[in-house]
PDB file of all heavy atoms in Angstrom:
ATOM      1  N   ILE L   1      25.707 -46.231  20.582  1.00  0.00           N
ATOM      2  CA  ILE L   1      26.414 -47.225  19.902  1.00  0.00           C
ATOM      3  C   ILE L   1      26.894 -48.370  20.856  1.00  0.00           C
ATOM      4  O   ILE L   1      27.639 -48.039  21.831  1.00  0.00           O
ATOM      5  CB  ILE L   1      27.656 -46.733  19.142  1.00  0.00           C
ATOM      6  CG1 ILE L   1      27.176 -45.668  18.209  1.00  0.00           C
ATOM      7  CG2 ILE L   1      28.365 -47.815  18.386  1.00  0.00           C
ATOM      8  CD1 ILE L   1      28.310 -44.992  17.426  1.00  0.00           C
ATOM      9  N   SER L   2      26.438 -49.567  20.658  1.00  0.00           N
ATOM     10  CA  SER L   2      26.903 -50.660  21.548  1.00  0.00           C
ATOM     11  C   SER L   2      28.100 -51.356  20.931  1.00  0.00           C
ATOM     12  O   SER L   2      28.461 -51.129  19.793  1.00  0.00           O
ATOM     13  CB  SER L   2      25.768 -51.688  21.700  1.00  0.00           C
ATOM     14  OG  SER L   2      25.653 -52.519  20.604  1.00  0.00           O
ATOM     15  N   SER L   3      28.747 -52.239  21.683  1.00  0.00           N
ATOM     16  CA  SER L   3      29.912 -52.957  21.207  1.00  0.00           C
ATOM     17  C   SER L   3      29.567 -53.871  20.063  1.00  0.00           C
ATOM     18  O   SER L   3      30.476 -54.323  19.316  1.00  0.00           O
ATOM     19  CB  SER L   3      30.561 -53.742  22.386  1.00  0.00           C
ATOM     20  OG  SER L   3      29.619 -54.628  22.910  1.00  0.00           O
ATOM     21  N   ASN L   4      28.245 -54.240  19.866  1.00  0.00           N
ATOM     22  CA  ASN L   4      27.857 -55.187  18.880  1.00  0.00           C
ATOM     23  C   ASN L   4      27.619 -54.542  17.521  1.00  0.00           C
ATOM     24  O   ASN L   4      27.417 -55.167  16.550  1.00  0.00           O
ATOM     25  CB  ASN L   4      26.568 -55.934  19.228  1.00  0.00           C
ATOM     26  CG  ASN L   4      26.824 -56.817  20.493  1.00  0.00           C
ATOM     27  OD1 ASN L   4      27.822 -57.400  20.640  1.00  0.00           O
ATOM     28  ND2 ASN L   4      25.734 -56.877  21.325  1.00  0.00           N
ATOM     29  N   ASN L   5      27.732 -53.195  17.555  1.00  0.00           N
ATOM     30  CA  ASN L   5      27.441 -52.449  16.299  1.00  0.00           C
ATOM     31  C   ASN L   5      28.532 -52.611  15.201  1.00  0.00           C
ATOM     32  O   ASN L   5      29.749 -52.404  15.570  1.00  0.00           O
ATOM     33  CB  ASN L   5      27.174 -51.002  16.591  1.00  0.00           C
ATOM     34  CG  ASN L   5      26.469 -50.321  15.458  1.00  0.00           C
ATOM     35  OD1 ASN L   5      27.029 -50.012  14.380  1.00  0.00           O
ATOM     36  ND2 ASN L   5      25.148 -50.084  15.685  1.00  0.00           N
ATOM     37  N   LYS L   6      28.122 -52.893  14.000  1.00  0.00           N
ATOM     38  CA  LYS L   6      29.073 -53.088  12.938  1.00  0.00           C
ATOM     39  C   LYS L   6      28.850 -51.985  11.864  1.00  0.00           C
ATOM     40  O   LYS L   6      29.314 -52.105  10.801  1.00  0.00           O
ATOM     41  CB  LYS L   6      28.887 -54.468  12.294  1.00  0.00           C
ATOM     42  CG  LYS L   6      29.150 -55.634  13.276  1.00  0.00           C
ATOM     43  CD  LYS L   6      28.912 -56.966  12.619  1.00  0.00           C
ATOM     44  CE  LYS L   6      29.167 -58.110  13.600  1.00  0.00           C
ATOM     45  NZ  LYS L   6      28.802 -59.372  13.036  1.00  0.00           N
ATOM     46  N   LYS L   7      28.119 -50.983  12.161  1.00  0.00           N
ATOM     47  CA  LYS L   7      27.867 -49.766  11.338  1.00  0.00           C
ATOM     48  C   LYS L   7      27.294 -50.104   9.961  1.00  0.00           C
ATOM     49  O   LYS L   7      27.500 -49.519   8.966  1.00  0.00           O
ATOM     50  CB  LYS L   7      29.269 -49.027  11.146  1.00  0.00           C
ATOM     51  CG  LYS L   7      29.842 -48.468  12.365  1.00  0.00           C
ATOM     52  CD  LYS L   7      31.072 -47.679  12.116  1.00  0.00           C
ATOM     53  CE  LYS L   7      31.676 -47.087  13.409  1.00  0.00           C
ATOM     54  NZ  LYS L   7      32.879 -46.363  13.251  1.00  0.00           N
ATOM     55  N   GLN L   8      26.440 -51.202  10.073  1.00  0.00           N
ATOM     56  CA  GLN L   8      25.647 -51.570   8.858  1.00  0.00           C
ATOM     57  C   GLN L   8      24.257 -51.001   8.838  1.00  0.00           C
ATOM     58  O   GLN L   8      23.564 -51.223   7.932  1.00  0.00           O
ATOM     59  CB  GLN L   8      25.649 -53.101   8.716  1.00  0.00           C
ATOM     60  CG  GLN L   8      27.095 -53.719   8.519  1.00  0.00           C
ATOM     61  CD  GLN L   8      27.054 -55.191   8.558  1.00  0.00           C
ATOM     62  OE1 GLN L   8      26.163 -55.790   9.118  1.00  0.00           O
ATOM     63  NE2 GLN L   8      28.118 -55.831   7.999  1.00  0.00           N
ATOM     64  N   THR L   9      23.883 -50.314   9.889  1.00  0.00           N
ATOM     65  CA  THR L   9      22.558 -49.834  10.015  1.00  0.00           C
ATOM     66  C   THR L   9      22.464 -48.452   9.342  1.00  0.00           C
ATOM     67  O   THR L   9      23.308 -47.628   9.469  1.00  0.00           O
ATOM     68  CB  THR L   9      22.137 -49.658  11.517  1.00  0.00           C
ATOM     69  OG1 THR L   9      22.332 -50.931  12.214  1.00  0.00           O
ATOM     70  CG2 THR L   9      20.699 -49.218  11.648  1.00  0.00           C
ATOM     71  N   SER L  10      21.372 -48.255   8.605  1.00  0.00           N
ATOM     72  CA  SER L  10      21.157 -46.958   7.836  1.00  0.00           C
ATOM     73  C   SER L  10      20.048 -46.272   8.694  1.00  0.00           C
ATOM     74  O   SER L  10      19.167 -46.827   9.360  1.00  0.00           O
ATOM     75  CB  SER L  10      20.611 -47.145   6.489  1.00  0.00           C
ATOM     76  OG  SER L  10      21.577 -47.874   5.751  1.00  0.00           O
ATOM     77  N   PHE L  11      20.102 -44.870   8.562  1.00  0.00           N
ATOM     78  CA  PHE L  11      19.217 -44.037   9.227  1.00  0.00           C
ATOM     79  C   PHE L  11      18.591 -43.020   8.330  1.00  0.00           C
ATOM     80  O   PHE L  11      19.158 -42.502   7.393  1.00  0.00           O
ATOM     81  CB  PHE L  11      20.026 -43.178  10.298  1.00  0.00           C
ATOM     82  CG  PHE L  11      20.503 -43.963  11.529  1.00  0.00           C
ATOM     83  CD1 PHE L  11      21.560 -44.772  11.486  1.00  0.00           C
ATOM     84  CD2 PHE L  11      19.786 -43.947  12.735  1.00  0.00           C
ATOM     85  CE1 PHE L  11      21.999 -45.542  12.491  1.00  0.00           C
ATOM     86  CE2 PHE L  11      20.184 -44.644  13.826  1.00  0.00           C
ATOM     87  CZ  PHE L  11      21.274 -45.482  13.761  1.00  0.00           C
ATOM     88  N   LEU L  12      17.247 -42.884   8.532  1.00  0.00           N
ATOM     89  CA  LEU L  12      16.500 -41.736   7.990  1.00  0.00           C
ATOM     90  C   LEU L  12      15.890 -40.944   9.140  1.00  0.00           C
ATOM     91  O   LEU L  12      15.047 -41.387   9.915  1.00  0.00           O
ATOM     92  CB  LEU L  12      15.338 -42.256   7.075  1.00  0.00           C
ATOM     93  CG  LEU L  12      14.273 -41.271   6.636  1.00  0.00           C
ATOM     94  CD1 LEU L  12      14.960 -40.264   5.690  1.00  0.00           C
ATOM     95  CD2 LEU L  12      13.108 -41.912   5.921  1.00  0.00           C
ATOM     96  N   VAL L  13      16.400 -39.676   9.296  1.00  0.00           N
ATOM     97  CA  VAL L  13      16.026 -38.811  10.402  1.00  0.00           C
ATOM     98  C   VAL L  13      15.136 -37.715   9.776  1.00  0.00           C
ATOM     99  O   VAL L  13      15.555 -37.024   8.851  1.00  0.00           O
ATOM    100  CB  VAL L  13      17.253 -38.201  11.130  1.00  0.00           C
ATOM    101  CG1 VAL L  13      16.799 -37.340  12.280  1.00  0.00           C
ATOM    102  CG2 VAL L  13      18.095 -39.367  11.632  1.00  0.00           C
ATOM    103  N   ILE L  14      14.018 -37.490  10.389  1.00  0.00           N
ATOM    104  CA  ILE L  14      13.050 -36.459   9.880  1.00  0.00           C
ATOM    105  C   ILE L  14      12.677 -35.602  10.955  1.00  0.00           C
ATOM    106  O   ILE L  14      12.290 -35.973  12.118  1.00  0.00           O
ATOM    107  CB  ILE L  14      11.801 -37.212   9.229  1.00  0.00           C
ATOM    108  CG1 ILE L  14      12.200 -38.051   8.081  1.00  0.00           C
ATOM    109  CG2 ILE L  14      10.765 -36.074   8.832  1.00  0.00           C
ATOM    110  CD1 ILE L  14      10.935 -38.827   7.527  1.00  0.00           C
ATOM    111  N   SER L  15      12.657 -34.230  10.761  1.00  0.00           N
ATOM    112  CA  SER L  15      12.299 -33.238  11.604  1.00  0.00           C
ATOM    113  C   SER L  15      11.316 -32.277  10.975  1.00  0.00           C
ATOM    114  O   SER L  15      11.145 -32.324   9.744  1.00  0.00           O
ATOM    115  CB  SER L  15      13.428 -32.547  12.294  1.00  0.00           C
ATOM    116  OG  SER L  15      14.114 -31.683  11.374  1.00  0.00           O
ATOM    117  N   PHE L  16      10.722 -31.331  11.733  1.00  0.00           N
ATOM    118  CA  PHE L  16       9.839 -30.357  11.130  1.00  0.00           C
ATOM    119  C   PHE L  16      10.249 -28.953  11.619  1.00  0.00           C
ATOM    120  O   PHE L  16      10.573 -28.781  12.780  1.00  0.00           O
ATOM    121  CB  PHE L  16       8.396 -30.631  11.547  1.00  0.00           C
ATOM    122  CG  PHE L  16       7.877 -32.020  11.097  1.00  0.00           C
ATOM    123  CD1 PHE L  16       8.054 -33.105  11.852  1.00  0.00           C
ATOM    124  CD2 PHE L  16       7.343 -32.091   9.838  1.00  0.00           C
ATOM    125  CE1 PHE L  16       7.618 -34.336  11.406  1.00  0.00           C
ATOM    126  CE2 PHE L  16       6.893 -33.380   9.444  1.00  0.00           C
ATOM    127  CZ  PHE L  16       7.001 -34.478  10.190  1.00  0.00           C
ATOM    128  N   ASP L  17      10.292 -28.072  10.685  1.00  0.00           N
ATOM    129  CA  ASP L  17      10.882 -26.738  10.953  1.00  0.00           C
ATOM    130  C   ASP L  17      10.102 -25.941  12.014  1.00  0.00           C
ATOM    131  O   ASP L  17      10.595 -24.999  12.657  1.00  0.00           O
ATOM    132  CB  ASP L  17      11.117 -25.915   9.711  1.00  0.00           C
ATOM    133  CG  ASP L  17       9.800 -25.584   8.929  1.00  0.00           C
ATOM    134  OD1 ASP L  17       8.687 -26.052   9.337  1.00  0.00           O
ATOM    135  OD2 ASP L  17       9.898 -24.903   7.874  1.00  0.00           O
ATOM    136  N   SER L  18       8.788 -26.345  12.243  1.00  0.00           N
ATOM    137  CA  SER L  18       8.019 -25.566  13.150  1.00  0.00           C
ATOM    138  C   SER L  18       7.823 -26.253  14.514  1.00  0.00           C
ATOM    139  O   SER L  18       7.045 -25.815  15.344  1.00  0.00           O
ATOM    140  CB  SER L  18       6.558 -25.322  12.540  1.00  0.00           C
ATOM    141  OG  SER L  18       5.943 -26.536  12.223  1.00  0.00           O
ATOM    142  N   ASP L  19       8.407 -27.347  14.651  1.00  0.00           N
ATOM    143  CA  ASP L  19       8.411 -28.133  15.883  1.00  0.00           C
ATOM    144  C   ASP L  19       9.264 -27.508  16.958  1.00  0.00           C
ATOM    145  O   ASP L  19      10.530 -27.531  16.835  1.00  0.00           O
ATOM    146  CB  ASP L  19       8.874 -29.670  15.634  1.00  0.00           C
ATOM    147  CG  ASP L  19       8.624 -30.522  16.874  1.00  0.00           C
ATOM    148  OD1 ASP L  19       8.346 -30.085  17.933  1.00  0.00           O
ATOM    149  OD2 ASP L  19       8.853 -31.734  16.636  1.00  0.00           O
ATOM    150  N   TRP L  20       8.659 -26.899  18.030  1.00  0.00           N
ATOM    151  CA  TRP L  20       9.506 -26.348  19.075  1.00  0.00           C
ATOM    152  C   TRP L  20       9.541 -27.244  20.313  1.00  0.00           C
ATOM    153  O   TRP L  20      10.320 -26.974  21.201  1.00  0.00           O
ATOM    154  CB  TRP L  20       8.990 -24.951  19.415  1.00  0.00           C
ATOM    155  CG  TRP L  20       7.638 -24.843  20.083  1.00  0.00           C
ATOM    156  CD1 TRP L  20       6.436 -24.862  19.406  1.00  0.00           C
ATOM    157  CD2 TRP L  20       7.360 -24.780  21.470  1.00  0.00           C
ATOM    158  NE1 TRP L  20       5.392 -24.768  20.323  1.00  0.00           N
ATOM    159  CE2 TRP L  20       5.917 -24.717  21.578  1.00  0.00           C
ATOM    160  CE3 TRP L  20       8.158 -24.695  22.635  1.00  0.00           C
ATOM    161  CZ2 TRP L  20       5.334 -24.581  22.816  1.00  0.00           C
ATOM    162  CZ3 TRP L  20       7.555 -24.608  23.826  1.00  0.00           C
ATOM    163  CH2 TRP L  20       6.079 -24.521  23.904  1.00  0.00           C
ATOM    164  N   LEU L  21       8.760 -28.350  20.317  1.00  0.00           N
ATOM    165  CA  LEU L  21       8.909 -29.274  21.475  1.00  0.00           C
ATOM    166  C   LEU L  21      10.180 -30.194  21.234  1.00  0.00           C
ATOM    167  O   LEU L  21      10.968 -30.301  22.143  1.00  0.00           O
ATOM    168  CB  LEU L  21       7.605 -30.224  21.527  1.00  0.00           C
ATOM    169  CG  LEU L  21       7.715 -31.302  22.536  1.00  0.00           C
ATOM    170  CD1 LEU L  21       7.908 -30.714  23.963  1.00  0.00           C
ATOM    171  CD2 LEU L  21       6.503 -32.161  22.467  1.00  0.00           C
ATOM    172  N   TYR L  22      10.279 -30.777  20.025  1.00  0.00           N
ATOM    173  CA  TYR L  22      11.564 -31.409  19.692  1.00  0.00           C
ATOM    174  C   TYR L  22      12.117 -30.785  18.402  1.00  0.00           C
ATOM    175  O   TYR L  22      11.907 -31.241  17.285  1.00  0.00           O
ATOM    176  CB  TYR L  22      11.269 -32.905  19.410  1.00  0.00           C
ATOM    177  CG  TYR L  22      10.828 -33.701  20.683  1.00  0.00           C
ATOM    178  CD1 TYR L  22       9.553 -34.087  20.810  1.00  0.00           C
ATOM    179  CD2 TYR L  22      11.680 -33.785  21.763  1.00  0.00           C
ATOM    180  CE1 TYR L  22       9.098 -34.732  21.995  1.00  0.00           C
ATOM    181  CE2 TYR L  22      11.244 -34.439  22.953  1.00  0.00           C
ATOM    182  CZ  TYR L  22       9.987 -34.855  23.068  1.00  0.00           C
ATOM    183  OH  TYR L  22       9.609 -35.524  24.202  1.00  0.00           O
ATOM    184  N   PRO L  23      12.767 -29.678  18.581  1.00  0.00           N
ATOM    185  CA  PRO L  23      13.216 -28.828  17.446  1.00  0.00           C
ATOM    186  C   PRO L  23      14.235 -29.510  16.589  1.00  0.00           C
ATOM    187  O   PRO L  23      14.926 -30.496  17.028  1.00  0.00           O
ATOM    188  CB  PRO L  23      13.837 -27.588  18.131  1.00  0.00           C
ATOM    189  CG  PRO L  23      14.194 -28.071  19.502  1.00  0.00           C
ATOM    190  CD  PRO L  23      13.190 -29.043  19.884  1.00  0.00           C
ATOM    191  N   SER L  24      14.345 -29.038  15.389  1.00  0.00           N
ATOM    192  CA  SER L  24      15.217 -29.681  14.327  1.00  0.00           C
ATOM    193  C   SER L  24      16.739 -29.708  14.830  1.00  0.00           C
ATOM    194  O   SER L  24      17.387 -30.677  14.437  1.00  0.00           O
ATOM    195  CB  SER L  24      15.144 -28.876  13.062  1.00  0.00           C
ATOM    196  OG  SER L  24      13.853 -29.074  12.437  1.00  0.00           O
ATOM    197  N   TRP L  25      17.087 -28.729  15.616  1.00  0.00           N
ATOM    198  CA  TRP L  25      18.495 -28.853  16.042  1.00  0.00           C
ATOM    199  C   TRP L  25      18.851 -30.127  16.904  1.00  0.00           C
ATOM    200  O   TRP L  25      19.924 -30.666  16.868  1.00  0.00           O
ATOM    201  CB  TRP L  25      18.972 -27.654  16.830  1.00  0.00           C
ATOM    202  CG  TRP L  25      18.363 -27.430  18.176  1.00  0.00           C
ATOM    203  CD1 TRP L  25      17.285 -26.590  18.492  1.00  0.00           C
ATOM    204  CD2 TRP L  25      18.760 -28.010  19.419  1.00  0.00           C
ATOM    205  NE1 TRP L  25      17.013 -26.728  19.804  1.00  0.00           N
ATOM    206  CE2 TRP L  25      17.903 -27.560  20.476  1.00  0.00           C
ATOM    207  CE3 TRP L  25      19.785 -28.863  19.828  1.00  0.00           C
ATOM    208  CZ2 TRP L  25      18.005 -27.894  21.839  1.00  0.00           C
ATOM    209  CZ3 TRP L  25      19.917 -29.264  21.168  1.00  0.00           C
ATOM    210  CH2 TRP L  25      19.057 -28.766  22.031  1.00  0.00           C
ATOM    211  N   GLN L  26      17.824 -30.694  17.510  1.00  0.00           N
ATOM    212  CA  GLN L  26      18.023 -31.903  18.278  1.00  0.00           C
ATOM    213  C   GLN L  26      18.246 -33.088  17.317  1.00  0.00           C
ATOM    214  O   GLN L  26      19.102 -33.973  17.570  1.00  0.00           O
ATOM    215  CB  GLN L  26      16.890 -32.150  19.225  1.00  0.00           C
ATOM    216  CG  GLN L  26      16.839 -31.137  20.407  1.00  0.00           C
ATOM    217  CD  GLN L  26      15.846 -31.474  21.441  1.00  0.00           C
ATOM    218  OE1 GLN L  26      14.718 -31.949  21.125  1.00  0.00           O
ATOM    219  NE2 GLN L  26      16.181 -31.250  22.723  1.00  0.00           N
ATOM    220  N   SER L  27      17.483 -33.132  16.234  1.00  0.00           N
ATOM    221  CA  SER L  27      17.664 -34.201  15.264  1.00  0.00           C
ATOM    222  C   SER L  27      18.997 -33.988  14.511  1.00  0.00           C
ATOM    223  O   SER L  27      19.678 -34.896  14.260  1.00  0.00           O
ATOM    224  CB  SER L  27      16.582 -34.104  14.143  1.00  0.00           C
ATOM    225  OG  SER L  27      15.312 -34.503  14.678  1.00  0.00           O
ATOM    226  N   GLY L  28      19.379 -32.696  14.377  1.00  0.00           N
ATOM    227  CA  GLY L  28      20.647 -32.384  13.748  1.00  0.00           C
ATOM    228  C   GLY L  28      21.851 -33.003  14.516  1.00  0.00           C
ATOM    229  O   GLY L  28      22.830 -33.396  13.969  1.00  0.00           O
ATOM    230  N   GLU L  29      21.709 -32.919  15.915  1.00  0.00           N
ATOM    231  CA  GLU L  29      22.778 -33.448  16.674  1.00  0.00           C
ATOM    232  C   GLU L  29      22.971 -34.984  16.398  1.00  0.00           C
ATOM    233  O   GLU L  29      24.076 -35.471  16.348  1.00  0.00           O
ATOM    234  CB  GLU L  29      22.494 -33.262  18.221  1.00  0.00           C
ATOM    235  CG  GLU L  29      22.691 -31.886  18.727  1.00  0.00           C
ATOM    236  CD  GLU L  29      22.431 -31.810  20.227  1.00  0.00           C
ATOM    237  OE1 GLU L  29      21.781 -32.678  20.804  1.00  0.00           O
ATOM    238  OE2 GLU L  29      23.048 -30.972  20.887  1.00  0.00           O
ATOM    239  N   ILE L  30      21.829 -35.653  16.254  1.00  0.00           N
ATOM    240  CA  ILE L  30      21.943 -37.093  16.007  1.00  0.00           C
ATOM    241  C   ILE L  30      22.588 -37.321  14.628  1.00  0.00           C
ATOM    242  O   ILE L  30      23.469 -38.237  14.556  1.00  0.00           O
ATOM    243  CB  ILE L  30      20.499 -37.675  16.034  1.00  0.00           C
ATOM    244  CG1 ILE L  30      19.862 -37.519  17.394  1.00  0.00           C
ATOM    245  CG2 ILE L  30      20.618 -39.222  15.786  1.00  0.00           C
ATOM    246  CD1 ILE L  30      18.386 -37.803  17.417  1.00  0.00           C
ATOM    247  N   VAL L  31      22.183 -36.583  13.705  1.00  0.00           N
ATOM    248  CA  VAL L  31      22.632 -36.733  12.387  1.00  0.00           C
ATOM    249  C   VAL L  31      24.156 -36.492  12.243  1.00  0.00           C
ATOM    250  O   VAL L  31      24.899 -37.356  11.686  1.00  0.00           O
ATOM    251  CB  VAL L  31      21.886 -35.820  11.384  1.00  0.00           C
ATOM    252  CG1 VAL L  31      22.571 -35.789   9.982  1.00  0.00           C
ATOM    253  CG2 VAL L  31      20.472 -36.225  11.266  1.00  0.00           C
ATOM    254  N   LYS L  32      24.638 -35.427  12.841  1.00  0.00           N
ATOM    255  CA  LYS L  32      26.082 -35.129  12.787  1.00  0.00           C
ATOM    256  C   LYS L  32      26.846 -36.228  13.487  1.00  0.00           C
ATOM    257  O   LYS L  32      28.002 -36.562  12.962  1.00  0.00           O
ATOM    258  CB  LYS L  32      26.368 -33.757  13.554  1.00  0.00           C
ATOM    259  CG  LYS L  32      25.793 -32.597  12.778  1.00  0.00           C
ATOM    260  CD  LYS L  32      26.076 -31.332  13.543  1.00  0.00           C
ATOM    261  CE  LYS L  32      25.517 -30.043  12.871  1.00  0.00           C
ATOM    262  NZ  LYS L  32      25.666 -28.845  13.687  1.00  0.00           N
ATOM    263  N   PHE L  33      26.363 -36.755  14.573  1.00  0.00           N
ATOM    264  CA  PHE L  33      27.056 -37.824  15.285  1.00  0.00           C
ATOM    265  C   PHE L  33      27.151 -39.090  14.399  1.00  0.00           C
ATOM    266  O   PHE L  33      28.200 -39.721  14.351  1.00  0.00           O
ATOM    267  CB  PHE L  33      26.361 -38.100  16.672  1.00  0.00           C
ATOM    268  CG  PHE L  33      26.909 -39.316  17.338  1.00  0.00           C
ATOM    269  CD1 PHE L  33      28.115 -39.187  18.145  1.00  0.00           C
ATOM    270  CD2 PHE L  33      26.418 -40.564  17.182  1.00  0.00           C
ATOM    271  CE1 PHE L  33      28.552 -40.271  18.788  1.00  0.00           C
ATOM    272  CE2 PHE L  33      26.948 -41.660  17.908  1.00  0.00           C
ATOM    273  CZ  PHE L  33      28.008 -41.466  18.695  1.00  0.00           C
ATOM    274  N   LEU L  34      26.044 -39.484  13.829  1.00  0.00           N
ATOM    275  CA  LEU L  34      25.999 -40.637  13.044  1.00  0.00           C
ATOM    276  C   LEU L  34      26.930 -40.546  11.838  1.00  0.00           C
ATOM    277  O   LEU L  34      27.639 -41.541  11.479  1.00  0.00           O
ATOM    278  CB  LEU L  34      24.536 -40.905  12.533  1.00  0.00           C
ATOM    279  CG  LEU L  34      23.563 -41.361  13.667  1.00  0.00           C
ATOM    280  CD1 LEU L  34      22.115 -41.406  13.131  1.00  0.00           C
ATOM    281  CD2 LEU L  34      23.918 -42.775  14.273  1.00  0.00           C
ATOM    282  N   ILE L  35      26.921 -39.410  11.148  1.00  0.00           N
ATOM    283  CA  ILE L  35      27.757 -39.241   9.990  1.00  0.00           C
ATOM    284  C   ILE L  35      29.248 -39.308  10.342  1.00  0.00           C
ATOM    285  O   ILE L  35      30.115 -39.984   9.718  1.00  0.00           O
ATOM    286  CB  ILE L  35      27.463 -37.935   9.321  1.00  0.00           C
ATOM    287  CG1 ILE L  35      26.019 -37.985   8.662  1.00  0.00           C
ATOM    288  CG2 ILE L  35      28.466 -37.581   8.207  1.00  0.00           C
ATOM    289  CD1 ILE L  35      25.580 -36.711   8.053  1.00  0.00           C
ATOM    290  N   ALA L  36      29.545 -38.662  11.483  1.00  0.00           N
ATOM    291  CA  ALA L  36      30.924 -38.687  12.001  1.00  0.00           C
ATOM    292  C   ALA L  36      31.454 -40.168  12.377  1.00  0.00           C
ATOM    293  O   ALA L  36      32.607 -40.419  12.253  1.00  0.00           O
ATOM    294  CB  ALA L  36      31.102 -37.773  13.204  1.00  0.00           C
ATOM    295  N   ARG L  37      30.472 -40.975  12.745  1.00  0.00           N
ATOM    296  CA  ARG L  37      30.843 -42.322  13.153  1.00  0.00           C
ATOM    297  C   ARG L  37      30.725 -43.278  11.926  1.00  0.00           C
ATOM    298  O   ARG L  37      30.788 -44.509  12.099  1.00  0.00           O
ATOM    299  CB  ARG L  37      29.855 -42.823  14.240  1.00  0.00           C
ATOM    300  CG  ARG L  37      30.048 -42.020  15.551  1.00  0.00           C
ATOM    301  CD  ARG L  37      31.541 -42.090  16.069  1.00  0.00           C
ATOM    302  NE  ARG L  37      31.721 -41.497  17.374  1.00  0.00           N
ATOM    303  CZ  ARG L  37      31.848 -40.235  17.585  1.00  0.00           C
ATOM    304  NH1 ARG L  37      31.835 -39.355  16.526  1.00  0.00           N
ATOM    305  NH2 ARG L  37      32.061 -39.769  18.829  1.00  0.00           N
ATOM    306  N   GLY L  38      30.419 -42.809  10.768  1.00  0.00           N
ATOM    307  CA  GLY L  38      30.466 -43.670   9.615  1.00  0.00           C
ATOM    308  C   GLY L  38      29.160 -44.306   9.206  1.00  0.00           C
ATOM    309  O   GLY L  38      29.144 -45.243   8.362  1.00  0.00           O
ATOM    310  N   PHE L  39      28.022 -43.941   9.755  1.00  0.00           N
ATOM    311  CA  PHE L  39      26.720 -44.603   9.458  1.00  0.00           C
ATOM    312  C   PHE L  39      26.067 -43.916   8.234  1.00  0.00           C
ATOM    313  O   PHE L  39      26.146 -42.618   8.142  1.00  0.00           O
ATOM    314  CB  PHE L  39      25.825 -44.506  10.668  1.00  0.00           C
ATOM    315  CG  PHE L  39      26.145 -45.316  11.857  1.00  0.00           C
ATOM    316  CD1 PHE L  39      26.939 -44.862  12.824  1.00  0.00           C
ATOM    317  CD2 PHE L  39      25.683 -46.648  11.932  1.00  0.00           C
ATOM    318  CE1 PHE L  39      27.281 -45.611  13.881  1.00  0.00           C
ATOM    319  CE2 PHE L  39      26.026 -47.438  12.976  1.00  0.00           C
ATOM    320  CZ  PHE L  39      26.872 -46.967  13.970  1.00  0.00           C
ATOM    321  N   SER L  40      25.553 -44.694   7.488  1.00  0.00           N
ATOM    322  CA  SER L  40      24.718 -44.164   6.314  1.00  0.00           C
ATOM    323  C   SER L  40      23.473 -43.453   6.857  1.00  0.00           C
ATOM    324  O   SER L  40      22.585 -44.097   7.449  1.00  0.00           O
ATOM    325  CB  SER L  40      24.264 -45.301   5.351  1.00  0.00           C
ATOM    326  OG  SER L  40      23.441 -44.767   4.313  1.00  0.00           O
ATOM    327  N   THR L  41      23.482 -42.093   6.648  1.00  0.00           N
ATOM    328  CA  THR L  41      22.437 -41.302   7.299  1.00  0.00           C
ATOM    329  C   THR L  41      21.824 -40.317   6.301  1.00  0.00           C
ATOM    330  O   THR L  41      22.548 -39.537   5.651  1.00  0.00           O
ATOM    331  CB  THR L  41      23.015 -40.514   8.470  1.00  0.00           C
ATOM    332  OG1 THR L  41      23.701 -41.391   9.346  1.00  0.00           O
ATOM    333  CG2 THR L  41      21.989 -39.786   9.252  1.00  0.00           C
ATOM    334  N   THR L  42      20.537 -40.291   6.270  1.00  0.00           N
ATOM    335  CA  THR L  42      19.771 -39.303   5.421  1.00  0.00           C
ATOM    336  C   THR L  42      18.944 -38.439   6.370  1.00  0.00           C
ATOM    337  O   THR L  42      18.289 -39.036   7.272  1.00  0.00           O
ATOM    338  CB  THR L  42      18.797 -40.061   4.393  1.00  0.00           C
ATOM    339  OG1 THR L  42      19.624 -40.999   3.661  1.00  0.00           O
ATOM    340  CG2 THR L  42      18.112 -39.102   3.536  1.00  0.00           C
ATOM    341  N   TYR L  43      18.975 -37.167   6.133  1.00  0.00           N
ATOM    342  CA  TYR L  43      18.223 -36.243   6.975  1.00  0.00           C
ATOM    343  C   TYR L  43      17.349 -35.262   6.174  1.00  0.00           C
ATOM    344  O   TYR L  43      17.804 -34.711   5.119  1.00  0.00           O
ATOM    345  CB  TYR L  43      19.173 -35.483   7.830  1.00  0.00           C
ATOM    346  CG  TYR L  43      18.481 -34.320   8.696  1.00  0.00           C
ATOM    347  CD1 TYR L  43      17.515 -34.599   9.506  1.00  0.00           C
ATOM    348  CD2 TYR L  43      18.949 -33.018   8.518  1.00  0.00           C
ATOM    349  CE1 TYR L  43      16.857 -33.654  10.251  1.00  0.00           C
ATOM    350  CE2 TYR L  43      18.371 -32.022   9.313  1.00  0.00           C
ATOM    351  CZ  TYR L  43      17.337 -32.290  10.123  1.00  0.00           C
ATOM    352  OH  TYR L  43      16.726 -31.309  10.806  1.00  0.00           O
TER     353      TYR L  43
END
């Protein structure tokens, strides 16, 4: 998050349950952070 951010950006985060290179828990970290910071986030 930069200082210019006004929290108007929406997010669609997609992961795959069988992906072990970039596992779902890593996407989950992003999602939890965004929701906690007030961003509209769909996962």
